[in-house]
Amino acid sequence: MEARLNSKTNPDLWTAVQHLHKAIAAGGVDPKVLSLVHLRASQINSCSACVFASIASAKKAGETDERLHSVTAWREAPFYTDEERAALALTEAATRIQDGAEGVTDEIWDAVSDHFTEDQINAIILEIALTNFFNRINRTIKEPAGKTWG
């Protein structure tokens, strides 16, 4: 599989993305939580490039194979904290926005609010949005798996 175009040719776009990454990092969320968020959104969107890159990034942050292999079944798997479960539920609800989807319920929001500060919630929401942004670009241009960025 070969990408349809080089999406990195616009330096203004990449400067903006770098600023978004800085804002996410400034939110104070554990990088492992952000990696799980990125991975789960990418799995939902079937973005092989982002699934590959997020697993590589998560492993660098010290994530285990056991947890990474179980993200798709996080509700049933015993490997995740309540904090991680809240972030994963928010990720799924915010990513699955098809017609008629319930979206982020009060129950999901309350769980996230119980575990994260406002700054952290903002960072997680931005991570979800940025992941969905990249998933859509990568699916459109057919970016192949096997690359990491950063």
Side-chain angles (χ1 to χ4, degrees), residues 14-67:
W14 293 106
T15 297
V17 167
Q18 288 173 340
H19 287 292
L20 292 172
H21 280 296
K22 286 179 186 176
I24 293 167
V29 179
D30 181 344
K32 286 184 180 182
V33 171
L34 293 175
S35 292
L36 294 175
V37 164
H38 185 85
L39 176 58
R40 187 65 191 121
S42 298
Q43 289 171 332
I44 291 167
N45 292 322
S46 298
C47 180
S48 65
C50 284
V51 167
F52 180 89
S54 64
I55 289 172
S57 174
K59 289 183 104 173
K60 284 182 186 175
E63 197 53 84
T64 66
D65 286 337
E66 180 177 62
R67 285 169 41 93

Side-chain angles (χ1 to χ4, degrees), residues 15-145:
T15 297
V17 167
Q18 288 173 340
H19 287 292
L20 292 172
H21 280 296
K22 286 179 186 176
I24 293 167
V29 179
D30 181 344
K32 286 184 180 182
V33 171
L34 293 175
S35 292
L36 294 175
V37 164
H38 185 85
L39 176 58
R40 187 65 191 121
S42 298
Q43 289 171 332
I44 291 167
N45 292 322
S46 298
C47 180
S48 65
C50 284
V51 167
F52 180 89
S54 64
I55 289 172
S57 174
K59 289 183 104 173
K60 284 182 186 175
E63 197 53 84
T64 66
D65 286 337
E66 180 177 62
R67 285 169 41 93
L68 292 172
H69 290 304
S70 300
V71 171
T72 58
W74 64 268
R75 284 181 179 83
E76 294 80 23
F79 311 123
Y80 307 100
T81 66
D82 289 342
E83 177 181 77
E84 292 165 336
R85 292 176 187 282
L88 288 166
L90 179 63
T91 301
E92 288 189 0
T95 298
R96 292 187 165 132
I97 57 172
Q98 69 276 12
D99 292 342
E102 191 172 17
V104 179
T105 63
D106 290 340
E107 179 183 14
I108 291 169
W109 188 260
D110 291 345
V112 169
S113 297
D114 287 346
H115 295 284
F116 298 98
T117 67
E118 280 191 26
D119 286 344
Q120 290 173 321
I121 293 169
N122 283 324
I124 292 169
I125 292 169
L126 188 53
E127 179 67 25
I128 294 166
L130 190 58
T131 300
N132 279 281
F133 168 81
F134 278 117
N135 291 167
R136 281 151 179 79
I137 290 172
N138 288 335
R139 293 287 312 270
T140 300
I141 67 170
K142 293 190 173 187
E143 183 70 30

